[in-house]
Amino acid sequence: MPLNPEMRASDADRDRVATALREHCAQGRISMDELHERLDATYAAKTLGALHDVTADLPEMDLYDLPVPATRRAGMAPVHGRGVGLHNAALSGWAGYASVNLMLVIIWVISCVASAELLFPWWIWVAGPWGAVLATRTIFGPRHH
């Protein structure tokens, strides 16, 4: 029997929908902006019907878990939790690196302008090791076929 859409939603219900929305974003079905909008609506939802409305246009099951088509060998099937998600994780790492280091360079430039002299580029002590770790993970990280 389907649940009554007017039934009050629990915190666990909202968390389950939020987790599903994050997965849909990782799979590329919704953008980051749309994810934030939908998460706001999810945590504001009071009923199960309101939670259903947040995900009504998204598939209920992950398309990667569907059976392998007969024209494809089973060994070629994507493994759940790999592929796009890890690629997005690597991109997120580089995006965080770029944004933090851009902020540090801006602070350094402002400091140089305020002191009217060229200061030591101290931001290198953050950018260097962090960049080396990210580059190593990108180059030698897990391979996905």
Side-chain angles (χ1 to χ4, degrees):
M1 177 164 92
L3 294 175
N4 179 356
E6 297 302 315
M7 186 179 296
R8 298 288 285 200
S10 68
D11 288 339
D13 295 327
R14 285 186 276 283
D15 288 340
R16 186 176 61 254
V17 171
T19 300
L21 286 172
R22 288 183 188 98
E23 181 63 26
H24 286 298
C25 182
Q27 298 297 327
R29 292 186 188 104
I30 58 176
S31 68
M32 287 299 292
D33 291 335
E34 194 173 0
L35 171 65
H36 293 298
E37 291 171 12
R38 290 180 186 228
L39 285 175
D40 289 343
T42 297
Y43 289 116
K46 293 187 183 224
T47 64
L48 294 177
L51 284 178
H52 176 70
D53 292 344
V54 172
T55 59
D57 62 334
L58 297 171
E60 289 187 29
M61 69 176 113
D62 190 359
L63 299 178
Y64 286 114
D65 290 338
L66 294 176
V68 178
T71 58
R72 216 162 96 183
R73 292 191 328 249
M76 294 170 49
V79 178
H80 182 66
R82 295 188 181 224
V84 175
L86 287 178
H87 181 25
N88 283 345
L91 290 176
S92 295
W94 282 107
Y97 171 82
S99 61
V100 167
N101 284 296
L102 176 65
M103 181 179 60
L104 293 177
V105 169
I106 289 171
I107 292 170
W108 175 74
V109 168
I110 291 171
S111 299
C112 288
V113 170
S115 67
E117 65 181 72
L118 185 61
L119 301 174
F120 177 77
W122 48 264
W123 51 268
I124 283 182
W125 296 111
V126 175
W130 189 1
V133 169
L134 280 176
T136 302
R137 283 186 171 180
T138 301
I139 294 169
F140 300 111
R143 298 282 184 237
H144 304 289
H145 303 288

